[in-house]
Amino acid sequence: MDWIERVDDDLVAQLTEWRRHLHANPELSFQEYETTEFISDLLTRWKIPHERPLDTGVVAHIRGSKPGPTVAMRCDIDALPITEENEFEFISTKPGVMHACGHDGHTAILLGVAKVLAELTSEIQGEVRLLFQPAEEVVASGARHFIEKGVVDGVDAIVGLHLMSAVDTGKISLGEGPIMASVDRFEIAVVGSGGHGAFPHQTIDPIVVASSLVTELQTLVSRRVDPLQPAVVTVGSFKGGDVFNVIPSRVELTGTTRTLDEGVRDLIHRELVKLAEGHAAANGAKAEIVYERGNPSLENDASLVKHLLPAARAVVGRENVIRVPPVMGGEDFAHYSRRMPSMFAFIGSRNPEIGSDFPHHHPRFTVDESALGIGLRYSLNVVERLASVGGGLPAGA
Ligand SMILES: [Zn+2]
Ligand SMILES: [Zn+2]
């Protein structure tokens, strides 16, 4: 019997119920205490051994009756500092906090996987490790913290998924190679010398220096990076000065850089520092720079994708397994993908008829709940191919 045949209407209805409960009770990164309790209570009910390596988040171990590889499945459980503008009956009960990225759905799907697998241990070889990971949405990254705690020690391959409002419900996007970008953050303080707005010659005006620096930073992409390599440099904040007739001493910029290639990432890091320092110095000012490296770019292992494409096709049909182009958004699953063969899929949840076509992180974002069952069936198919008796990892992964 295929494992997905264990998914019936009752289970799909439960997924929806869990997702709605989580949606109504969102918690910010590293503060997912109630969410952690909720997950842990269900795992206890299903007699699945699990632990909490951090204050929040849960790691469950489903050990098969036969020896074999260890395969990990990961979901993220955190919400965002956004005030929800949806109007359905299970909207966030916490002002200013909202599941606006679909992590409520991811958690529900992985709970469904846990419930089914708990009854299948005799058919499992090796271990299936389920990672309910906190804090995907912050640069400090729950994935990084999980890895430091040894959560993926001994794991041979890891898979993850994201519900995606840019992809129609009923489609799954799966492709090898880079699919999401590295995420770095920078701060540049341009330090000049303030004074009277009427006597600029007696000052070093950091507003003028920082303004031209913003324009100069655009040349990193247009004149430093190979035109065939994707890269983004965005200045997201520019703060300086309080009064119309005073030249301030300091202007502070923050921004982000995104790349799909680690070599390009290193180049931008190096050149951004050089440019900011040189540009400030050429104008008599000083640049104080903090460059924080966040998620690396996310790459799918080619042999895993090849091995697991049939798992997706069996759920939605060959014609509905697509490959969307890489995006310059980031995903902290990339920290795992740098350490072991990994695969990350996008499960379509766009349905304009029910309003699930708002972009992620929008105050009216929501997921099409019919994608939850698709995500569950897909996940079970994947884990069956990797961890059932007779299944296994592809050669090369
Ligand atoms: Zn997000
Ligand atoms: Zn997300």
Side-chain angles (χ1 to χ4, degrees):
M1 175 171 162
D2 286 348
W3 291 5
I4 58 170
E5 285 171 28
R6 297 188 171 248
V7 181
D8 56 18
D9 291 349
D10 285 352
L11 181 55
V12 174
Q14 269 184 319
L15 255 60
T16 303
E17 207 177 291
W18 296 330
R19 182 257 162 174
R20 290 184 179 193
H21 170 83
L22 294 166
H23 192 87
N25 298 282
E27 293 173 295
L28 293 174
S29 308
F30 291 121
Q31 298 171 34
E32 309 94 336
Y33 296 101
E34 291 168 22
T35 307
T36 298
E37 286 300 325
F38 180 77
I39 295 163
S40 178
D41 286 350
L42 285 170
L43 295 173
T44 303
R45 193 191 300 171
W46 303 325
K47 300 188 174 54
I48 299 174
H50 58 280
E51 80 246 350
R52 301 181 192 183
L54 302 168
D55 288 345
T56 58
V58 182
V59 177
H61 303 268
I62 300 174
R63 295 187 179 90
S65 55
K66 306 235 165 38
T70 297
V71 173
M73 297 197 112
R74 169 273 201 181
C75 77
D76 38 17
I77 65 172
D78 57 330
L80 286 153
I82 293 174
T83 299
E84 181 155 15
E85 289 176 12
N86 284 315
E87 281 169 359
F88 36 72
E89 73 276 18
F90 54 91
I91 60 162
S92 171
T93 55
K94 297 187 181 162
V97 187
M98 175 188 176
H99 269 296
C101 201
H103 301 185
D104 46 350
H106 306 165
T107 308
I109 290 169
L110 201 61
L111 284 169
V113 172
K115 186 169 191 224
V116 173
L117 293 187
E119 295 164 2
L120 284 172
T121 50
S122 64
E123 295 183 37
I124 293 173
Q125 62 172 7
E127 179 192 331
V128 181
R129 201 173 292 175
L130 304 180
L131 277 49
F132 296 87
Q133 180 213 297
E136 191 282 323
E137 296 284 7
V138 289
V139 176
S141 170
R144 200 148 64 179
H145 283 74
F146 255 14
I147 290 166
E148 280 163 11
K149 287 284 178 188
V151 164
V152 290
D153 289 359
V155 171
D156 297 293
I158 185 165
V159 293
L161 59 77
H162 209 299
L163 294 163
M164 181 58 56
S165 74
V167 175
D168 287 342
T169 303
K171 292 189 190 297
I172 296 176
S173 173
L174 199 50
E176 63 180 72
I179 56 166
M180 293 184 87
S182 59
V183 180
D184 292 344
R185 179 182 176 280
F186 63 84
E187 295 169 20
I188 303 171
V190 176
V191 185
S193 173
H196 199 299
F199 306 98
H201 57 295
Q202 296 170 355
T203 73
I204 293 170
D205 184 348
I207 290 197
V208 172
V209 180
S211 300
S212 51
L213 175 60
V214 171
T215 313
E216 282 295 308
L217 287 172
Q218 305 313 308
T219 65
L220 291 172
V221 174
S222 70
R223 287 298 175 268
R224 286 288 170 273
V225 175
D226 180 339
L228 298 178
Q229 293 280 2
V232 174
V233 175
T234 290
V235 174
S237 74
F238 187 116
K239 291 184 185 142
D242 294 306
V243 189
F244 84 104
N245 60 354
V246 175
I247 292 170
S249 311
R250 186 182 178 92
V251 167
E252 290 175 345
L253 311 178
T254 64
T256 185
T257 69
R258 310 290 172 112
T259 66
L260 293 181
D261 177 272
E262 291 299 298
V264 176
R265 183 188 194 192
D266 293 341
L267 173 92
I268 288 192
H269 181 168
R270 200 169 57 235
E271 293 290 317
L272 182 142
V273 171
K274 208 161 86 185
L275 178 65
E277 285 175 348
H279 184 81
N283 289 282
K286 232 180 87 208
E288 296 169 3
I289 304 159
V290 177
Y291 196 99
E292 202 180 348
R293 287 169 80 102
N295 305 331
S297 55
L298 170 54
E299 278 187 44
N300 275 347
D301 180 87
S303 60
L304 268 185
V305 171
K306 196 163 163 239
H307 186 60
L308 296 172
L309 269 172
R313 289 175 181 149
V315 177
V316 293
R318 179 177 276 266
E319 68 284 4
N320 288 317
V321 179
I322 58 169
R323 182 181 181 171
V324 294
V327 292
M328 300 309 274
E331 165 58 66
D332 83 342
F333 186 82
H335 286 292
Y336 306 112
S337 94
R338 291 281 148 197
R339 282 170 178 76
M340 65 200 72
S342 75
M343 195 183 77
F344 195 76
F346 298 122
I347 310 293
S349 74
R350 176 182 182 276
N351 181 355
E353 278 172 28
I354 60 157
S356 68
D357 54 343
F358 285 93
H360 292 252
H361 297 199
H362 189 283
R364 290 190 62 195
F365 174 87
T366 190
V367 297
D368 180 354
E369 288 172 334
S370 62
L372 300 176
I374 295 171
L376 173 60
R377 288 186 175 91
Y378 160 79
S379 299
L380 286 171
N381 262 352
V382 163
V383 77
E384 181 172 5
R385 283 186 87 82
L386 294 174
S388 65
V389 176
L393 297 172

